Amino acid sequence: MTGNGPVRTGRARAADDPVRAPARIPVARLVEPRSVAVIGASDDLGKFGGRVVHYLAKFGFPGAVLPINPRGGTVQGLPAYPSVADLPDGADVAVLAVPAERLEAQVRACADAGIGACIVITGKLGEAGPEGAAIEARLAGIARATGMRLLGPNCLGIVNATGRAALSSTLALEGPVLRPGGIGLISQSGALMGTLLSLGLDYGAGFSRCISVGNQADLELCDFLDHLIEDAATRVIALYVEGLRDPPRFRALLARARAAGKPVLVVKAGRSEAGARAARSHTASLAGSYAAFEAVCRAGGAATMEDPATMILAADALDRLPRLAAPGLGVAVMASSGGAVVTAADQLPGIGARLARMGDATRAALAALMPDDHVHLPLDTGSFHGGTSEAGIRAALAAFMADPDVGAILYPMTTMPRMADHAARLPAISREGGKPILYAMTAGRVGDAARAAMLERAFPWFDRVGDALAALRAMEAVAARPAARPERPPGAGPAVPARLRPGPLTEAETKRLVAAYGIPVTRQALARTPEEAAAAADAIGYPAVLKGVSRAVAHKSDLGLVRLGLGDAAAVRAAAAEILRTLERVAPGAAEGVLVQETGRGEVELILGVVHDPGFGPMVLAGAGGTLVEVTRDTGLAPAPIGPEEAEALLRRLAVWPVLQGVRGRPPADVAAAAEALSRLSWLAHDLGDRLAELDINPLVVRARGGGVLALDGRATLRDGAEEPP
Amino acid sequence: MTGNGPVRTGRARAADDPVRAPARIPVARLVEPRSVAVIGASDDLGKFGGRVVHYLAKFGFPGAVLPINPRGGTVQGLPAYPSVADLPDGADVAVLAVPAERLEAQVRACADAGIGACIVITGKLGEAGPEGAAIEARLAGIARATGMRLLGPNCLGIVNATGRAALSSTLALEGPVLRPGGIGLISQSGALMGTLLSLGLDYGAGFSRCISVGNQADLELCDFLDHLIEDAATRVIALYVEGLRDPPRFRALLARARAAGKPVLVVKAGRSEAGARAARSHTASLAGSYAAFEAVCRAGGAATMEDPATMILAADALDRLPRLAAPGLGVAVMASSGGAVVTAADQLPGIGARLARMGDATRAALAALMPDDHVHLPLDTGSFHGGTSEAGIRAALAAFMADPDVGAILYPMTTMPRMADHAARLPAISREGGKPILYAMTAGRVGDAARAAMLERAFPWFDRVGDALAALRAMEAVAARPAARPERPPGAGPAVPARLRPGPLTEAETKRLVAAYGIPVTRQALARTPEEAAAAADAIGYPAVLKGVSRAVAHKSDLGLVRLGLGDAAAVRAAAAEILRTLERVAPGAAEGVLVQETGRGEVELILGVVHDPGFGPMVLAGAGGTLVEVTRDTGLAPAPIGPEEAEALLRRLAVWPVLQGVRGRPPADVAAAAEALSRLSWLAHDLGDRLAELDINPLVVRARGGGVLALDGRATLRDGAEEPP
């Protein structure tokens, strides 16, 4: 036990002024306590409270461990106290692993004893049903009223590996080692936290802190994300997220982590429909839209990943390997097996990576080692004259380290003589060369000597090529340059909208809105009668387009309310009459007229849109346009506002991108104009905020380069209070 | 040493009749020899010849091991012979690990000594350059002349695990165990063979034979595939393929393996462009088209996989787990961690799988275990009343075993109390229930007791959810029902084509060809002048389509040679004149006229095509049609001929499938007619064989259900000797 007394901010403040919310202790105090009371402490290591005491001792907690047990006596050789009230110096933190029905009294006792923080391991609370939720709410109320901070309930606590404070019951601590290092892990699942900790330790990974946030009755994921960004020991952050309490705060924290040079990797539950439903019910968190989450992570430079195990290996790679010098570089795949390198290279396109294009110097260096027709990537070092050799591997790696197009080296080793000797050379070469070597030992236990060589040299390895590739993908994602802060393009608002009715806007209203932000729209006029339509078409020009207008009709083309290519006034007159009759039939009394438009032609049709994510706010969307947009689902999303550069990057990710570049003799499309339109739309989305429920421009035709874009159709829905630009 | 003498077929036959090719010993003799001469045998285990002798003894080879060493004496305690000529009883097989320059003499000595088979480990032959290739050709010549069978060179030999015959120098045999079992592995990479063997053994997998085929100077992959299909010990076949010597034989063997109930899994090098280039140079095999290879595997019920390591785990799952009762069933994901099950469920769509739709009985069984709002898949057993329990897990698994929509159970275990106890129950439940439980132990070494429990029960496990999912995908692929033998549809040839010029066909010629197989084409007429065009349009009807015809022009629409929607004779006359002028300009002297066509409209445009794969012969292709087909790459392939059922299955795999089913109020398209057209086209491809270099129908418009299809355009290229149907 140390002589440092706990800080009693909680009780003192609450007593001074029970009405005003008391100041709260910093999160760092929970993570780095000087003394820990364990309520429910036991000699039985099968119990949560038994394991917490055991692990604190096992990993050499430098502070005081204070078992609380009504019977007093000793617990695991330590003097036990009947209650927290009996602690002579209080405690910085209490860990509670007591049945749910006794929790409230114990937490209150901690508050009364001036313990500023509780880690509540007990489960079957909010996640289990209304009874548990009521208890949980009362715990949160105690915390609010007293200034106490509360982690959990339904969590596995905190493992502070650099501070040797294992405030956790996770069975991951059954292993012999708790290696300190740079990975900070926060998990909304305690079991996953333990699993990832134990897995990472096997691979030589080191951790700063692992935090299981449980039901987040008080402290939540972002509180700890904030802590890890500030924490000097943490170099890489790995998150398992089910839902966010405060999405804007999360977004701001991603930006701070990036500024601090700390990569963030995230597995988010609910990528699939079924997963999203299950995640909602698991910890009663709002799962939100995965697409919006992913867009926010991308914008913030965080890497979204699919599998938690793969994430922790990727985090380790980012912690212990040199990082990529820049995004978009090539990969040099090499090893002593043609089969291994070819099958690894075949998997590169699946993660959006490519083989490096070797420079002349690299080719020359390799040509000195092997027959000319074997000088290519992937590189089979078995083709060296005389076979794989130390000197050959060194020379090839030296060439890759110097080649500007090589971002990383992927080395999938198979069974071969002297595996460990060959592996043992790689760490120094990687570190000195400043480029990551992703070493995959793909054989079974016959490769263990090679793994041991890596462990000894504190160098990460993989057992599967797929894990190495997932790590590479994450390294690539976090290497992306931050976009410049977008600047409002000239003439893109902020317009003070004149009052518009809430609800769906007509096409004409939608176009006036986007035109106010400088997005080109078709010349057009609203006609009430066939005669007016013909006159309008005469003024606008032929061939003309006619569309029936009614707020009550969303999908005009499905009802025959769109007529294209009308060549003269007679055709316009006839079509207008027919449209007005149809409108009267399908939406009686809601016909507003016939919109007469110029015909817009271009190389490619896009959809641009605005969606309002309940968590992250306004997002812009772009994708392949036309009537089948729901089927192709070729769309991308970005949080608004964005500049033209980010907008173009979004277009570049679409499947339709090659079409925009020009295919089969078609001219390249005016990508710059499309990107500018998307940027302008993002400012509109930004300015209108949650007043704009949604907006689509579909299609936006993109003409040949230099020809600009033209919004042919659009619709939008406003919420109450929305206004139209003047 | 056994008393059985080797069979001396080789020398005897060759001596009898050196001109006629002698009969050859069966492949089984190589795999199950009674005596093995090791040429290059050594006491040095760092040498190939040292390891071969060592491994034969280590794993208890029951036959005679006969070291050959010019110095005589003993090798590893066995009497050595100076040469194969000195062997008193010859040998069934010789293993050669001698320098390349001594190979030819040694192989000839073996032939002279009547040794019927050589396994040549020595590398740096055909794969290394022309000198080695010349030696290799001479070795093959000796084999042909004498009837000897030759495996390799540049291979790691054969590991016959059920027969304890480790005729290999692979370092995978450094491990303590060589477990016999049902996996037969053939690899075109020796290093991969060793790697996969060692990896599989770690996971408790058992092998029948592992064969490294090397450069295939004589015996090739298909010889051993044939052997494994016949081999009683082999239950599952895993292949690493770089290129095929005899693609039609491979296809026929897939069919035989399927008939024998032996699933085949394949990793084929060269899925990516870069991989294909590298595979070609690696063992000088023809890599062929990956898409055609994949289509042939799909048709043959073989599963193509991406990663060799994952393949071997999948092969083990097929060997030791109950198989899927049928394809297309759902997956029940369950475990004691919400985070683990949700992230696993999120990965199902990535392999084309789905969660099971639980039946009422299953729901009722689960509702007895947990709160109603937790009764869903994925299933978090932590939500059971009182938490995860043995009784609860048993009850849930019993319900899944009885539920007709549950094909497999995915169980991603995280750190939890009594992991090994929980795991140990699963094997019996899976075997008794007859459904596979894919158990993934996702934690690190703290989960080793659970892994040991599985090993003890001879039950496979995975360490990564991704590996389990890849195995499930493979199980699904091999569970697909074989298609019925396609029957020639009425009126689909076989037409005896009248003579046509080799080279590109015109659209009209192409349409006559497909029409002869019963595929509907547009009404049309060829006009030489604008007046003829107008007359033809009057007969066919308006709006008319005009197309310039010239054998010299492939992409008509890019040159403005296609005009649509011509409403009257005047418009047709003007357009025809313009087209004829353009034709004269772009292809002087090669204008054949103007094709006047009816306008074809439908719900969806497809492309149907024929490609001739150099290895597998005629294949049909279907995909989303229109002008952007090269960009969307939404196509599927099948070896011709196929029946309408397979044709529809191919359409079902396309991204455009939802459009064919009807979206956004559009009517469902006539899928049956599209499938029939594809089947008919496949008979055309079948009948014309390699005389048809390629053929596209693009677009084929598919009308609303019941409305049929119509080929609007088409082109084809014939090789010499092709004939047109009368």
Side-chain angles (χ1 to χ4, degrees):
Chain A
M1 210 192 281
T2 69
N4 298 327
V7 179
R8 296 185 184 245
T9 45
R11 188 163 57 174
R13 300 275 175 111
D16 289 350
D17 183 354
V19 176
R20 223 176 52 205
R24 297 182 140 198
I25 68 158
V27 165
R29 192 79 52 80
L30 257 93
V31 177
E32 301 153 3
R34 289 159 300 177
S35 55
V36 180
V38 182
I39 304 177
S42 159
D43 284 322
D44 181 353
L45 301 191
K47 296 192 170 162
F48 284 133
R51 288 207 294 277
V52 173
V53 172
H54 173 63
Y55 295 146
L56 280 165
K58 176 176 176 180
F59 295 107
F61 178 56
V65 180
L66 308 165
I68 308 296
N69 191 305
R71 288 189 304 277
T74 63
V75 168
Q76 300 182 39
L78 296 168
Y81 299 86
S83 81
V84 289
D86 299 309
L87 292 171
D89 296 308
D92 274 4
V93 170
V95 180
L96 292 92
V98 297
E101 60 275 15
R102 280 164 39 202
L103 255 186
E104 191 180 348
Q106 293 286 3
V107 169
R108 196 171 292 282
C110 288
D112 291 343
I115 296 176
C118 283
I119 296 175
V120 184
I121 291 178
T122 311
K124 295 287 172 196
L125 289 154
E127 82 281 9
E131 272 177 65
I135 298 175
E136 191 171 317
R138 291 198 296 274
L139 300 184
I142 296 171
R144 266 195 311 277
T146 63
M148 168 194 275
R149 298 307 325 233
L150 197 140
L151 172 60
N154 188 33
C155 78
L156 287 181
I158 296 172
V159 179
N160 170 353
T162 50
R164 289 178 286 149
L167 305 160
S168 173
S169 60
T170 176
L171 289 156
L173 297 172
E174 288 296 308
V177 177
L178 179 57
R179 193 177 303 103
I183 304 176
L185 169 65
I186 309 172
S187 174
Q188 276 185 259
S189 156
L192 273 186
M193 177 197 79
T195 294
L196 299 182
L197 171 60
S198 82
L199 185 71
L201 291 173
D202 282 3
Y203 283 84
F207 291 82
S208 55
R209 291 102 176 73
C210 301
I211 298 146
S212 158
V213 295
N215 292 0
Q216 307 182 108
D218 171 27
L219 287 167
E220 59 110 341
L221 185 130
C222 282
D223 293 312
F224 291 98
L225 177 53
D226 190 329
H227 163 71
L228 293 182
I229 293 167
E230 299 303 319
D231 171 45
T234 301
R235 290 182 296 258
V236 181
I237 297 169
L239 306 175
Y240 168 64
V241 176
E242 296 190 340
L244 295 171
R245 288 287 156 89
D246 186 347
R249 184 182 176 201
F250 178 77
R251 193 178 163 197
L253 287 169
L254 290 187
R256 260 183 52 210
R258 188 180 221 178
K262 299 191 180 187
V264 177
L265 312 184
V266 196
V267 170
K268 166 82 165 62
R271 276 192 311 128
S272 67
E273 288 289 325
R277 276 197 306 276
R280 277 193 292 275
S281 75
H282 176 211
T283 50
S285 291
L286 174 71
S289 142
Y290 185 78
F293 183 88
E294 193 177 38
V296 163
C297 286
R298 186 194 301 275
T304 49
M305 304 196 67
E306 296 191 7
D307 185 73
T310 306
M311 171 174 70
I312 216 68
L313 300 180
D316 183 33
L318 279 158
D319 186 27
R320 295 197 290 156
L321 287 178
R323 300 203 183 149
L324 297 176
L329 297 176
V331 181
V333 182
M334 69 178 281
S336 172
S337 155
V341 295
V342 172
T343 54
D346 276 343
Q347 296 179 64
L348 288 178
I351 59 153
R354 63 170 174 88
L355 284 169
R357 291 179 280 267
M358 294 190 289
D360 292 341
T362 306
R363 292 189 171 279
L366 295 180
L369 298 169
M370 62 204 307
D372 275 354
D373 57 343
H374 289 248
V375 174
H376 56 67
L377 287 177
L379 180 72
D380 175 3
T381 64
S383 300
F384 288 167
H385 302 301
T388 298
S389 65
E390 169 169 355
I393 291 177
R394 279 193 186 281
L397 282 172
F400 293 146
M401 289 295 167
D403 191 319
D405 194 53
V406 173
I409 293 105
L410 175 62
Y411 202 120
M413 188 177 277
T414 46
T415 47
M416 63 181 287
R418 300 193 299 123
M419 286 183 270
D421 291 349
H422 284 296
R425 276 178 228 122
L426 303 179
I429 295 174
S430 176
R431 287 172 182 140
E432 281 157 25
K435 292 183 182 179
I437 298 181
L438 295 130
Y439 170 75
M441 174 69 253
T442 62
R445 270 176 228 155
V446 297
D448 275 357
R451 295 184 179 95
M454 292 312 200
L455 192 62
E456 196 181 309
R457 283 158 187 80
F459 197 78
W461 75 90
F462 302 90
D463 290 339
R464 292 278 184 290
V465 170
D467 286 341
L469 290 170
L472 187 58
R473 194 181 146 277
M475 294 174 95
E476 184 71 25
V478 302
R481 282 178 304 120
R485 194 181 184 80
E487 281 177 37
R488 186 181 290 274
V496 181
R499 194 148 296 278
L500 267 180
R501 283 176 285 177
L505 300 192
T506 63
E507 176 182 339
E509 290 165 341
T510 304
K511 283 183 173 168
R512 275 205 300 281
L513 196 55
V514 304
Y517 277 78
I519 297 169
V521 301
T522 46
R523 281 172 294 143
Q524 59 190 44
L526 188 67
R528 311 278 161 180
T529 66
E531 276 316 314
E532 276 182 35
D538 278 344
I540 288 169
Y542 295 97
V545 174
L546 258 58
K547 296 173 178 174
V549 179
S550 167
R551 232 167 277 270
V553 178
H555 296 299
K556 292 183 286 275
S557 57
D558 297 346
L559 292 167
L561 293 172
V562 178
R563 297 291 300 276
L564 310 174
L566 301 168
D568 55 31
V572 168
R573 219 174 281 120
E578 203 180 319
I579 285 173
L580 288 168
R581 279 195 302 274
T582 305
L583 273 183
E584 207 40 63
R585 201 181 68 240
V586 300
E592 296 173 34
V594 176
L595 201 59
V596 183
Q597 290 178 349
E598 67 177 305
T599 294
R601 289 204 181 89
E603 296 304 314
V604 186
E605 293 191 347
L606 296 180
I607 179 173
L608 304 188
V610 176
V611 291
H612 194 86
D613 185 77
F616 292 110
M619 321 277 293
V620 283
L621 171 151
T627 53
L628 298 176
V629 59
E630 285 95 341
V631 175
T632 60
R633 293 188 179 198
D634 175 30
T635 56
L637 215 56
I642 55 174
E645 199 187 337
E646 278 170 282
E648 188 172 324
L650 196 161
L651 296 174
R652 211 174 274 272
R653 290 193 297 271
L654 298 176
V656 77
W657 175 251
V659 184
L660 284 165
Q661 291 182 291
V663 284
R664 277 256 315 261
R666 287 158 183 262
D670 199 334
V671 171
E676 190 187 326
L678 184 57
S679 169
R680 288 176 177 273
L681 185 66
S682 79
W683 283 98
L684 185 159
H686 170 78
D687 292 345
L688 267 67
D690 61 7
R691 289 178 294 164
L692 181 60
E694 55 170 352
L695 184 153
D696 282 350
I697 300 172
N698 186 17
L700 178 90
V701 297
V702 187
R703 300 199 185 98
R705 190 177 290 160
V709 298
L710 190 65
L712 298 195
D713 199 353
R715 61 196 183 90
T717 305
L718 294 180
R719 291 206 184 81
D720 271 337
E723 299 179 333
E724 188 190 21
Chain B
M1 209 192 281
T2 70
N4 298 327
V7 178
R8 295 181 186 247
T9 45
R11 188 164 55 176
R13 299 276 176 112
D16 289 351
D17 183 356
V19 176
R20 223 176 52 204
R24 299 183 137 196
I25 69 158
V27 166
R29 192 77 53 81
L30 258 93
V31 178
E32 300 154 4
R34 290 159 301 177
S35 54
V36 180
V38 182
I39 304 176
S42 160
D43 283 321
D44 181 354
L45 301 191
K47 295 190 171 164
F48 284 135
R51 287 207 295 276
V52 173
V53 174
H54 173 63
Y55 296 147
L56 280 166
K58 175 177 177 180
F59 295 108
F61 178 55
V65 180
L66 308 165
I68 307 296
N69 192 305
R71 289 188 303 274
T74 63
V75 169
Q76 299 183 38
L78 296 168
Y81 299 85
S83 80
V84 288
D86 299 310
L87 291 171
D89 298 307
D92 275 3
V93 170
V95 180
L96 292 92
V98 297
E101 59 276 14
R102 280 163 39 202
L103 255 186
E104 192 180 348
Q106 294 284 2
V107 169
R108 194 170 295 282
C110 289
D112 291 342
I115 296 176
C118 283
I119 296 175
V120 185
I121 292 178
T122 311
K124 295 286 171 196
L125 289 154
E127 82 282 10
E131 272 178 67
I135 298 175
E136 189 171 316
R138 291 198 296 275
L139 299 185
I142 297 170
R144 266 196 312 276
T146 62
M148 168 193 275
R149 300 307 327 232
L150 197 139
L151 173 60
N154 188 32
C155 78
L156 287 181
I158 296 172
V159 179
N160 170 353
T162 51
R164 288 177 289 151
L167 304 160
S168 173
S169 59
T170 176
L171 290 157
L173 298 171
E174 289 295 310
V177 177
L178 179 56
R179 193 178 303 102
I183 303 175
L185 169 65
I186 310 172
S187 175
Q188 275 185 259
S189 156
L192 272 186
M193 179 197 77
T195 295
L196 299 181
L197 171 59
S198 83
L199 186 71
L201 291 173
D202 282 4
Y203 282 85
F207 291 82
S208 56
R209 289 101 176 73
C210 301
I211 297 145
S212 158
V213 294
N215 292 0
Q216 308 182 108
D218 171 27
L219 288 167
E220 59 111 340
L221 185 131
C222 282
D223 293 312
F224 291 99
L225 178 53
D226 190 329
H227 164 71
L228 293 183
I229 294 167
E230 298 304 318
D231 171 45
T234 301
R235 291 182 296 258
V236 181
I237 297 169
L239 306 175
Y240 169 64
V241 176
E242 295 189 340
L244 295 171
R245 287 287 156 92
D246 187 347
R249 184 181 177 200
F250 179 76
R251 193 178 162 196
L253 287 169
L254 289 187
R256 263 185 49 211
R258 188 181 220 176
K262 299 189 181 188
V264 177
L265 312 184
V266 196
V267 170
K268 166 85 165 61
R271 279 193 308 127
S272 67
E273 287 289 324
R277 274 196 308 275
R280 277 192 293 274
S281 76
H282 176 212
T283 51
S285 292
L286 175 70
S289 141
Y290 186 79
F293 182 88
E294 192 176 38
V296 163
C297 287
R298 187 194 302 275
T304 49
M305 305 195 67
E306 296 189 8
D307 185 73
T310 307
M311 172 174 69
I312 216 67
L313 301 180
D316 184 33
L318 278 159
D319 186 28
R320 297 196 289 154
L321 287 178
R323 299 206 182 147
L324 297 177
L329 298 175
V331 181
V333 182
M334 69 179 281
S336 173
S337 155
V341 295
V342 171
T343 54
D346 276 343
Q347 295 179 64
L348 288 178
I351 60 152
R354 63 171 174 87
L355 285 170
R357 290 179 282 266
M358 294 189 289
D360 291 342
T362 306
R363 291 188 171 279
L366 295 180
L369 298 168
M370 62 205 307
D372 275 354
D373 57 344
H374 289 247
V375 174
H376 55 69
L377 287 176
L379 180 72
D380 176 2
T381 65
S383 300
F384 289 167
H385 302 302
T388 298
S389 65
E390 169 170 355
I393 290 177
R394 279 192 185 283
L397 282 172
F400 293 146
M401 290 294 167
D403 191 318
D405 194 54
V406 173
I409 293 103
L410 175 62
Y411 203 118
M413 189 178 277
T414 46
T415 47
M416 62 181 289
R418 301 192 298 121
M419 286 183 270
D421 292 348
H422 283 296
R425 277 179 226 120
L426 303 179
I429 295 174
S430 177
R431 287 172 181 142
E432 282 157 27
K435 292 183 183 178
I437 298 181
L438 296 130
Y439 171 76
M441 175 70 252
T442 61
R445 272 178 225 154
V446 297
D448 275 356
R451 294 184 181 95
M454 291 314 200
L455 192 62
E456 196 181 313
R457 283 160 187 78
F459 197 78
W461 77 89
F462 303 89
D463 290 340
R464 292 277 185 290
V465 169
D467 287 340
L469 290 170
L472 187 59
R473 195 182 144 276
M475 295 174 96
E476 184 73 25
V478 302
R481 281 179 304 119
R485 196 180 180 80
E487 282 177 37
R488 187 180 289 273
V496 182
R499 194 150 294 278
L500 268 179
R501 283 176 284 178
L505 300 192
T506 62
E507 176 182 339
E509 289 165 342
T510 304
K511 282 182 174 167
R512 276 205 300 280
L513 196 57
V514 304
Y517 277 77
I519 297 170
V521 301
T522 45
R523 280 174 293 144
Q524 60 189 42
L526 188 66
R528 312 276 161 181
T529 65
E531 276 316 313
E532 275 181 38
D538 278 344
I540 288 168
Y542 295 97
V545 173
L546 259 56
K547 296 173 179 175
V549 179
S550 167
R551 233 169 275 270
V553 178
H555 296 301
K556 293 182 285 272
S557 57
D558 297 348
L559 292 167
L561 292 173
V562 178
R563 300 289 300 276
L564 310 173
L566 302 168
D568 55 32
V572 167
R573 217 173 283 119
E578 202 179 319
I579 286 173
L580 288 167
R581 276 194 303 275
T582 305
L583 273 180
E584 209 37 64
R585 201 182 66 241
V586 299
E592 295 173 35
V594 176
L595 202 60
V596 183
Q597 291 178 349
E598 67 177 307
T599 294
R601 289 205 183 87
E603 296 303 315
V604 186
E605 293 191 347
L606 296 181
I607 179 173
L608 303 188
V610 176
V611 290
H612 193 85
D613 185 77
F616 292 111
M619 321 276 296
V620 283
L621 170 151
T627 52
L628 297 176
V629 60
E630 284 95 342
V631 174
T632 61
R633 293 187 178 200
D634 176 28
T635 57
L637 216 55
I642 55 173
E645 199 187 336
E646 276 170 285
E648 187 171 326
L650 196 161
L651 297 175
R652 213 176 272 275
R653 291 194 296 271
L654 298 175
V656 77
W657 175 250
V659 184
L660 284 165
Q661 291 183 291
V663 285
R664 276 258 315 263
R666 286 159 184 262
D670 198 333
V671 170
E676 191 188 324
L678 184 57
S679 169
R680 288 175 176 274
L681 185 65
S682 79
W683 283 99
L684 185 158
H686 171 78
D687 293 345
L688 267 66
D690 61 7
R691 289 179 293 165
L692 182 59
E694 56 169 352
L695 184 154
D696 283 349
I697 301 173
N698 186 20
L700 178 91
V701 297
V702 188
R703 300 199 185 97
R705 189 177 290 160
V709 297
L710 190 64
L712 297 195
D713 199 351
R715 62 197 183 89
T717 305
L718 294 180
R719 290 205 183 82
D720 270 339
E723 299 180 332
E724 188 190 22

